[in-house]
Amino acid sequence: MQISCRKCRALITVPSGSIPKFCSECGTSLSATEPVESDSTRRQTASKAEAWTVTRRPSSELTDPEKESPNQSDHREIGPYRLVRQLGQGGMGSVFEAIHQETGQPVALKLLIPSLQGTDESIQRFRRESQIAASLNHPRSTFVYGAGEHEGQFYITMELMEGGTLKDIVATQGPVETGRAIDYILDIIDGLQAAHSEGIVHRDLKPSNCFLDREGRVKVGDYGLAKSFLGDSQLTQTGAFMGTPQYAAPEQLLSVDIDERVDIYALGATLFYLLAGQPCFRGSPAQVIASIASETPPKVSEFTSRVPRAMVRIIAQTMEKDPARRPQSLKILREMLLPYSTRGASLADVGRRIAAFFVDMAMVQIINSILMLGLLFLGAVAGISQLNPINPSKTLVWIVLPIAVAYFALCEHYFGRGVGKWLMGMRVIGRGSESPSLAAAMLRALILPGLSFLVSALAGVFWLDNPFASSPNFQSIAGQQTAIQLLSSSLMLICMATARRSGGYRGIHELLSGTRVVRLSGELEFRRIESFPITVPVRVNTDKVFGNYRVIGRFDGNLKPVPYLGIDPKLERDVWIYDELPPLPGPETDRYSTRARRLRMIHDGRQGGQDWFVTEAVKGGPLVEILQQTDCSWQAVRPVLLELVIELRDSATQGMLPIDLDMHHVWLDETGRIKLLDFPVVTARLLNLQGIDTTKETFSTGPTRSLPPENGLLIQLLSRFIEHHEVPLHVRQLLEELRKRGEEPSMLAYLETQLSESADRPANWNWDDRLGVLAVAGGIEVASITLLVNLVGLACFTIAFHWLSLLIVPTLVGGLATFMFGYCFNGGIALRISEVAVLRQKNLRPASKWQCGARNAFACLPFVLFASWGTLFITSASTFEMEPQIKVGLMLLGQLLILLLCGCIGLNILLSLLNPARNMIDYLTGTRLSRQ
């Protein structure tokens, strides 16, 4: 399938109909609607004119690659680089650690082996590798600085990865734990997705091509055999397999048409290697190829018992011989693997967990009802004419309790979750990120809900068999109902008494069983800012050149220097070119920083009388513009600010802070990562943003108070975000604290600590969060107050024996109880457990205790009254002696109140889900709800 960019008119071939987000030619979003003419034709002509020159070598100098010494190039000089040591060797080239002799920059230098120097096909394939790798400027792909030729030796200059490869990890440490292995694979998926979105299939993915950086994260490299769907059929050797057979898909060995699913197969084979410590198939290359083509891959569980069953199935699915039976995209595979990652989950708050528990208990009741109906049906078929009444307490012990324990234990052991946790996006894990063992899952279920059922049943038996309870009224009303409802709720609260954020919200049953519940994240590392406007430089018609770099555009701004947009002719990629240079920050030897959050310097052209240099081109936009114009959540912005804090701290320590630092120095690239620019870039959109002074930003909070630039920058960015977005209460409190600490050098360290510790803190307030609060309120707060009201109402009715006592007393007791719950717990027990704050709507500050009490009374009292009145009317009519007309009237009135209760519950749920922050009660009391 082919699509055309509406801006540059480039034709892009897309595999399997998966449309990339941005044009590979000009970086414009492919959702753009206004066609704008571009000079893509001139760009292609320039690329062809700058094709690599082939320097032919005499055949007498060519050697057999198998006989070439891998160390023969040690300590040689290749262009401006001095080789230090060899890092590895492949079929096309050797990789060396090298040092740029002028700048001291360490790099990885890939050299085309001498035996291939004299063939056009090898040189063009080597050239294509550099261009493909250079086109993928992504945090999970190795960065290419440049490519060239020196005395007939072709080379590619790449980012030096100091952490080795995944193959080195297994060779030195053995098989990798499941969660850590999944983390590595998810990093690889991130890098491959960037390639697939550009129509590029790697084709040679394997552990030795997956490199680790200083932070232990994986980057994909070595695109020597990558296939671009833009057309490279002339470089394919018909009938010859190229690659590593242990990780090659069957269709790749058969030299048939391939697509991105060969990389999915290689991902499964790589994951197999990480978990088992050895490849799926072993032996000579011929034996491996024959096994892949004819044999079913063994299961990873045959080599290790530590892998969850679900993970065994996922690996087997990715390595299916038929590509149609594999996951059809990297996105699908990532969603399958994410629950097992250590980075793919956050802490599950108590409110969400209680909501999931109630849903699971409803499933238990459904299963129990189906079983009971089956038993009754079998009894009827067997000819039993009269069935004895079933004792509710014995039913709890012998039927409901085993069903509940089996449901929770088996679902959490085999699937990691039941229906409730699946709906709430949660999962139970044991050691590492694996599903709990059967013993651990059984212990969890025996404590909760098993212990709750057991104690409630024993209490019911006690009340039924108590010789002192001679009154049948007391037995039926105050005994069994009170014991079951009150003890069930109390035991559940006791089990969750230890659930604090500092302890990972782990209850007693989880501490004893060594398990915990996590909330699955929607993104790989964190929720990234999505769909923000990409800044595209203005195209210009000019013959201006800087060395070999030709200018095709520039940014529209009023701050100097304004970077030009240029083309690297050898790598066919965009670059930024700076001239009119003011002083650069920091020592000259530190300008070639390899930190991912700073612009990578590609070429220094200040020699020879010209004053310019070249950096990577960043597809993205100014962070302040994105924060003001993008509908992004705090969960997406928090990791971005944390990255910025870390970079500002490191830059300040090394004396590398940009001169006259302001908000225009901070960019966000298209992958959602921070870039701290050496010079400010002001875009046309930023010039039009209200409240932005593009001439100068001074960082102060008062007329005489001046802050360090890095502190003031962070305070202003956080302030602008809060002005345009709804944030949790603790974020507003954090901003107030930063303003107090603004002049302190330790503010960066304090902010870094706060942002890091709040990574697992719930921040969103969506419909599912609101549903959790409603479940807690209904299952604990309303239920307990209703039970209290029922007991008081029945006692008064027994004494006064007047129906008015069923209305007046519950109203007074229920109103006082709901108000006091809200007053004492700042909105109620449900909000306190769920870590939700009640705020004033006008100034978004915490509401007073009187407001919290009134809000809780308005919110809970109708449900308490309807439930208690309905229950008391029906119970009284069926228990006490009274006139038949009164008894029928009370029964009808009770049923009507129960129907009204159900209607109010449904309406409240609907309104709360439509607007989680404010429902009818909040409009009456002038409040709103927010995360603490």
Side-chain angles (χ1 to χ4, degrees), residues 440-466:
M442 185 65 70
L443 180 59
R444 272 179 60 93
L446 285 173
I447 299 175
L448 188 69
L451 187 61
S452 176
F453 276 122
L454 182 61
V455 174
S456 299
L458 293 176
V461 172
F462 169 78
W463 287 115
L464 287 173
D465 299 335
N466 184 5

Side-chain angles (χ1 to χ4, degrees), residues 350-361 408 419-424 426 772 775:
V350 178
R352 180 177 294 270
R353 295 183 55 184
I354 294 179
F357 179 80
F358 287 147
V359 173
D360 283 327
M361 289 307 302
F408 279 86
V419 176
K421 293 182 178 64
W422 174 72
L423 289 175
M424 294 291 112
M426 298 185 297

